[in-house]
């Protein structure tokens, strides 16, 4: 049985009858920048996340970058980031002129280790940027306490955590601002690029609103050097439809994760640990295995699709050669990059597909 890592076509087909009229209505509206669907999505997403403000932007990277700019972070400032994350988290910091300062994760929750953050704070530190990686909330309370103690901002990268909860409260309003990506493969995904920030801080929300639109509140009056990073109205119409399915689709992911956790216990796979205060949304189900590459190849031969998130940590990427980090500098991130494997996961992955993946994993990851 062929089990794809992720089937976006199946997701589209499941709600095609709702999506296509919404797309057509948007196209026929005669309104192609901003407008009713963008405003309605911003309100509906803020309500879902239980935050005051939501501002749509063009993608997740811009959401991170514009939130940093709105916090007045720039050249010479330092921002604490995880040593294990998708490159966008670091790039957003670099694009403002600030410097990403990596801190290692807790090995089995994959998220920023709050116990290691304080040692990385310097007089130039302006913000902490935790990532809710793979859909699992980072341990925010100690991070927020450190930020208060040192007068720092907290920006959360929630690109993989739509709907996740930390101590019962949805991710989206704990820190000063939270950045979202609606890249198609995310838990809440558009059919193209899209992003947003959420916040309870009216000033940050207002600044991002102005920055995303050429630094302009009133047409042809430019308050600041902004950019063009607007949420496309067709994508907003699509996101409004998909938001209605998010909780149910996350519940299906959670059921798949529960099967992996129960049925893969006792194999040589190291399974993700979920702290008792975390309600993850399983953007990815990531295991660790000493012979990861061989395992991935054997799975592929039996038709089981897997991926690696991520094979090279940011500090060892060619793009960050100028930062001068040697191999061995962040050993947890490096060892994870060599051991991680993301199993098939998605709301349209059926019971039989999960069973096939588990059977294949048990036979190949045993001895
Ligand atoms: C997807 C992702 C982003 C970037 O989102 P884009 O919409 O692709 O720009 C940022 N951070 C993390 C952790 C992501 O997974």
């Amino acid at each position: 049985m062929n089990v794809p890592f992720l089937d976006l076509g199946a997701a589209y087909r499941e709600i095609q009858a709702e999506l296509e009229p919404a797309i057509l209505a948007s196209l026929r509206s005669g309104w192609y920048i901003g407008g009713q669907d963008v405003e309605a999505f911003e309100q509906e997403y803020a309500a879902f996340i239980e935050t005051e403000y939501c501002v749509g932007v063009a993608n997740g990277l811009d959401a991170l970058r514009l939130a940093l700019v709105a916090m007045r972070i720039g050249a010479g400032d330092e921002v604490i980031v995880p040593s294990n994350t998708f490159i966008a988290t670091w790039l957003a910091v670099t694009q403002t002129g600030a410097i990403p300062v990596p801190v290692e994760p807790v090995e089995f929750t994959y998220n920023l280790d709050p116990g290691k953050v304080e040692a990385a704070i310097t007089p130039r530190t302006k913000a902490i940027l935790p990532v809710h990686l793979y859909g699992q909330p980072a341990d925010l309370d100690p991070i927020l306490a450190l930020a208060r103690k040192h007068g720092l901002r907290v920006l959360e990268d929630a690109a993989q955590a739509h709907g996740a909860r930390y101590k019962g409260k949805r991710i989206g309003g704990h820190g000063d601002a939270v950045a979202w990506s609606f890249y198609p493969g995310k838990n809440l995904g558009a059919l193209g690029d899209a992003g947003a920030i959420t916040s309870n801080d009216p000033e940050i929300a207002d600044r991002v609103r102005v920055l995303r639109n050429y630094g302009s509140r009133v047409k042809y009056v430019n308050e600041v050097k902004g950019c063009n990073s607007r949420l496309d109205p067709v994508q907003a119409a699509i996101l409004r439809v998909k938001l209605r399915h998010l909780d149910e689709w996350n519940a299906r992911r959670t059921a798949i994760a529960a099967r992996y956790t129960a049925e893969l216990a006792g194999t040589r796979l190291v399974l993700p640990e979920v702290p008792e205060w975390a309600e993850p949304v399983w953007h990815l189900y990531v295991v660790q295995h000493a012979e990861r590459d061989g395992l991935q190849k054997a799975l592929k031969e039996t038709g089981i699709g897997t991926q690696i998130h991520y094979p090279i940590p940011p500090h060892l990427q060619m793009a960050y050669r100028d930062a001068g980090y040697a191999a061995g500098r962040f050993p947890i991130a490096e060892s994870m990059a060599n051991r991680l494997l993301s199993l098939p996961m998605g709301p349209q992955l059926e019971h039989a597909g999960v069973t096939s993946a588990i059977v294949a994993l048990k036979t190949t990851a045993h001895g």
Side-chain angles (χ1 to χ4, degrees):
M1 179 173 186
N2 261 333
V3 182
F5 171 71
L6 172 69
D7 190 348
L8 288 178
Y12 183 83
R13 287 190 295 277
E14 184 181 326
I15 54 170
Q16 185 171 0
E18 283 173 79
L19 281 172
E20 288 178 355
I23 294 166
L24 266 183
S26 173
L27 294 179
R28 288 173 175 167
S29 73
W31 196 275
Y32 304 114
I33 294 289
Q36 199 251 323
D37 276 320
V38 172
E39 282 168 26
F41 172 70
E42 288 176 341
Q43 281 167 19
E44 287 159 10
Y45 197 59
F48 174 83
I49 289 300
E50 298 155 25
T51 46
E52 208 61 45
Y53 307 102
C54 171
V55 184
V57 295
N59 55 64
L61 174 60
D62 278 359
L64 287 162
R65 179 176 61 86
L66 294 179
L68 290 166
V69 173
M71 293 172 178
R72 307 200 189 284
I73 288 164
D77 296 335
E78 291 177 1
V79 178
I80 292 172
V81 296
S83 57
N84 65 319
T85 181
F86 178 55
I87 193 82
T89 318
W90 286 44
L91 286 176
V93 176
T94 310
Q95 286 180 355
T96 67
I99 299 154
V101 175
V103 167
E104 291 262 72
V106 178
E107 204 168 347
F108 304 111
T109 67
Y110 307 122
N111 276 323
L112 195 61
D113 186 343
K116 294 190 175 136
V117 170
E118 195 157 31
I121 295 173
T122 76
R124 296 202 291 178
T125 308
K126 288 284 153 55
I128 308 173
L129 206 176
V131 180
H132 306 295
L133 200 65
Y134 310 147
Q136 169 139 291
D139 192 1
L140 288 171
D141 279 349
I143 292 169
L144 293 165
L146 278 173
R148 269 193 302 276
K149 180 175 165 195
H150 294 273
L152 309 176
R153 296 287 210 167
V154 173
L155 168 62
E156 301 163 56
D157 181 340
Q160 303 186 358
H162 316 76
R165 289 177 191 271
Y166 175 71
K167 299 186 180 171
K169 182 176 180 299
R170 282 218 209 262
I171 293 299
H174 294 84
D176 296 286
V178 179
W180 303 91
S181 164
F182 306 118
Y183 179 83
K186 308 287 163 131
N187 290 43
L188 178 59
L191 302 177
D193 277 309
I197 66 121
T198 55
S199 178
N200 290 312
D201 182 331
E203 249 177 81
I204 289 178
D206 183 64
R207 278 191 213 136
V208 173
R209 213 172 270 289
V210 171
L211 284 165
R212 73 172 174 180
N213 187 35
Y214 290 113
S216 166
R217 209 181 293 273
V218 176
K219 208 167 188 178
Y220 306 130
V221 179
N222 306 92
E223 299 171 22
V224 290
K225 295 183 191 74
C227 66
N228 176 351
S229 182
R230 297 175 291 226
L231 173 58
D232 183 84
V234 177
Q235 299 305 334
I238 289 161
L239 288 167
R240 292 185 70 193
V241 171
K242 293 190 86 176
L243 180 57
R244 300 201 288 264
H245 297 274
L246 180 58
D247 276 336
E248 197 214 315
W249 287 16
N250 280 342
R252 293 188 207 164
R253 290 174 182 271
T254 303
I256 294 166
R259 281 196 68 196
Y260 281 145
T261 299
E263 296 176 46
L264 294 173
T267 64
R268 282 181 62 218
L269 297 167
V270 180
L271 306 180
E273 272 174 21
V274 180
E276 98 294 327
W277 40 257
E279 289 170 59
V281 287
W282 301 105
H283 175 60
L284 299 169
Y285 191 95
V286 178
V287 299
Q288 299 186 44
H289 191 270
E291 284 99 45
R292 188 266 319 274
D293 292 342
L295 174 62
Q296 184 176 39
K297 192 164 161 276
L299 289 169
K300 190 176 174 201
E301 279 158 11
T302 64
I304 310 297
T306 59
Q307 286 193 16
I308 297 165
H309 299 92
Y310 300 90
I312 306 170
H315 71 281
L316 298 181
Q317 294 282 0
M318 211 190 303
Y320 279 100
R321 207 164 36 187
D322 59 347
Y325 292 118
R329 179 72 182 74
F330 298 103
I332 298 179
E334 289 170 33
S335 118
M336 282 170 53
N338 293 325
R339 296 163 46 90
L340 295 174
L341 191 67
S342 304
L343 306 186
M345 173 55 78
Q348 284 73 34
L349 176 57
E350 286 173 1
H351 193 86
V354 182
T355 305
S356 297
I358 289 169
V359 169
L361 280 156
K362 281 187 150 169
T363 45
T364 47
H366 224 274

